[in-house]
Amino acid sequence: MFALVAALLFVLALIFEIADVAVGGVLTVTTLALAGLVCVALHLMGLGAGWRPLRK
């Protein structure tokens, strides 16, 4: 799930960079790229991969 979110954030950052869109001081290309990298890191840690019940 985090990989999909990261891909969407990277696509948005690319579109903003190509179209030279400015959405304010908070939402920039750098912010979107860093949020995408955080999602990739969480995906590589194994978070969001699925839920499995614990066996007892």
Side-chain angles (χ1 to χ4, degrees):
M1 186 67 183
F2 281 114
L4 179 64
V5 173
L8 291 174
L9 287 171
F10 287 138
V11 166
L12 277 176
L14 179 64
I15 291 171
F16 281 12
E17 181 67 28
I18 290 172
D20 198 22
V21 174
V23 186
V26 177
L27 189 61
T28 63
V29 173
T30 305
T31 307
L32 289 173
L34 289 175
L37 288 173
V38 167
C39 288
V40 168
L42 291 172
H43 173 73
L44 291 175
M45 279 179 29
L47 295 177
W51 182 80
R52 294 187 190 136
L54 296 174
R55 297 182 188 251
K56 292 185 178 185

